[in-house]
Amino acid sequence: MGSAGTNISNTSSFMLTGFPEMGALEPLLTAILLLLSAVSILGNTLILFIVKEEQSLHQPMYYFLSLLSVNDLGVSFSTLPTVLAALCFHAPEAAFDACLAQMFFIHFFSWTESGILLAMSFDRYVAICNPLRYSTVLTDACVAHMGLFIIIRSFCMVFPLPFLLKRLPFCKANLLTHAYCLHPDLIRLPCGDTTINSLYGLAIVISAFGVDSVLTLLSYVLILRSVLAIASREERLKTLNTCASHICAVLIFYMPMVSVSMVHRFGRHAPEYVHKFMSLVYLFVPPMLNPIIYSIKTKEIRRRLHKILLGTRL
């Protein structure tokens, strides 16, 4: 009984898991994950380079896009090390503090992305509903303050999570269900009372993702109302097209998140690989798709990318 009360944070580590239930298909899945990560890192790096070099993109919308790209790079670099270790090098052991650090950064970047998408929806709202005030409302200083607020908010929300876990005794099996460390996974392992952890986790999910998603939806309700007031059908479509990239980014961020929540809530009897797959989609797909979507839908980025890759302008 004496060892049961020992805090694992001082002496032990966690074991990460890949997809052993997939047998011979696990190497294929590993290759796909590495490809997604490579596309994400290359795509977001190119976005940052193009926005920096293209003077016409020095606007609030593209400053927010740059922040989104930096955040997506953070997601990739936070997740990739343990995925590589567990799936490629068969070294699934993660030190306790390293696991908590990874958990912190994964959740920090997730919260930050939610805030960035909300800021981008505000940008679209001002551009469409109050175009004459756009340059006076969204100044460079305002954009910088919004970005700083998003980062500070995310940090303050996620910062207590590692310390709330470190105070608990870990006396159960130290096997995680993913190849990376997530709070919902770690909170299953302590043998102490995790009520505070669960309540705090629920509170920050509601106050961040819940509030952000509602405000983003509200901004698009107001945008739609403004667009429907435009007499010309061609102008309506042209105006809505300026929101297309952001709408896609919002959908590819929130849909996997909602799917993961639904699987955890209602799919408890589903095979374990379903839970793992949904979590992988949530972490790996949005950072890969965001630069692709904005490259396709933004003429200036598409033109500069064409010049970089082919040496010619469109």
Side-chain angles (χ1 to χ4, degrees):
M1 290 297 292
S3 62
T6 302
N7 193 328
I8 198 172
S9 63
N10 296 323
T11 58
S12 193
S13 59
F14 294 112
M15 298 300 294
L16 308 167
T17 57
F19 284 80
E21 62 273 11
M22 297 189 69
L25 293 177
E26 186 176 21
L28 175 62
L29 179 62
T30 303
I32 293 173
L33 292 178
L34 293 178
L35 177 62
L36 292 178
S37 297
V39 171
S40 172
I41 293 169
L42 177 62
N44 285 294
T45 302
L46 281 174
I47 290 289
L48 289 171
F49 174 78
I50 291 170
V51 172
K52 177 180 179 295
E53 294 296 318
E54 191 71 36
Q55 290 292 324
S56 63
L57 298 180
H58 292 182
Q59 303 173 34
M61 181 173 74
Y62 299 105
Y63 294 149
F64 288 129
L65 176 58
S66 298
L67 189 56
L68 182 65
S69 293
V70 170
N71 192 78
D72 284 341
L73 286 172
V75 173
S76 298
F77 286 123
S78 297
T79 312
L80 200 55
T82 53
V83 171
L84 286 174
L87 298 180
C88 297
F89 302 111
H90 305 290
E93 188 172 359
F96 184 86
D97 288 334
C99 194
L100 290 186
Q102 185 185 47
M103 178 202 71
F104 171 85
F105 283 111
I106 290 177
H107 291 294
F108 168 78
F109 288 121
S110 295
W111 261 258
T112 302
E113 182 147 352
S114 177
I116 296 169
L117 292 174
L118 174 59
M120 295 174 86
S121 71
F122 177 71
D123 170 87
R124 292 298 83 208
Y125 164 75
V126 176
I128 293 171
C129 299
N130 294 284
L132 297 179
R133 298 184 58 197
Y134 183 77
S135 59
T136 57
V137 172
L138 284 168
T139 61
D140 288 352
C142 178
V143 172
H145 290 152
M146 290 173 68
L148 187 61
F149 172 78
I150 291 167
I151 292 170
I152 292 174
R153 184 194 71 160
S154 301
F155 178 85
C156 291
M157 285 183 169
V158 181
F159 185 72
L161 291 179
F163 298 99
L164 288 173
L165 280 169
K166 288 195 77 168
R167 70 186 178 86
L168 296 170
F170 284 75
C171 52
K172 298 180 183 178
N174 64 345
L175 184 67
L176 298 176
T177 56
H178 301 288
Y180 37 82
C181 303
L182 296 175
H183 185 257
D185 205 11
L186 289 168
I187 205 174
R188 300 181 302 104
L189 301 181
C191 54
D193 185 6
T194 59
T195 302
I196 294 176
N197 302 65
S198 299
L199 290 176
Y200 181 75
L202 178 62
I204 58 176
V205 166
I206 293 173
S207 61
F209 295 136
V211 173
D212 289 354
S213 60
V214 169
L215 291 177
T216 299
L217 179 61
L218 177 61
S219 69
Y220 272 101
V221 169
L222 297 174
I223 287 171
L224 187 60
R225 187 180 70 174
S226 181
V227 168
L228 292 176
I230 300 174
S232 169
R233 180 176 181 273
E234 184 178 338
E235 286 298 317
R236 287 199 298 268
L237 292 176
K238 183 179 178 181
T239 303
L240 282 175
N241 191 51
T242 64
C243 301
S245 300
H246 179 254
I247 292 172
C248 291
V250 170
L251 290 176
I252 65 173
F253 176 72
Y254 281 106
M255 286 180 65
M257 181 196 301
V258 171
S259 300
V260 168
S261 300
M262 294 293 286
V263 167
H264 278 288
R265 177 72 177 173
F266 301 108
R268 300 187 180 188
H269 300 295
E272 190 172 297
Y273 67 83
V274 173
H275 296 263
K276 294 181 181 180
F277 177 77
M278 294 305 301
S279 181
L280 287 172
V281 169
Y282 171 60
L283 287 174
F284 281 83
V285 173
M288 182 270 295
L289 285 181
N290 283 333
I292 294 175
I293 290 169
Y294 277 93
S295 297
I296 293 172
K297 296 297 295 181
T298 307
K299 182 174 66 175
E300 292 84 355
I301 294 178
R302 190 168 64 246
R303 184 190 300 124
R304 186 70 184 223
L305 190 60
H306 195 271
K307 182 182 180 182
I308 292 172
L309 297 179
L310 301 177
T312 59
R313 283 188 176 270
L314 284 172

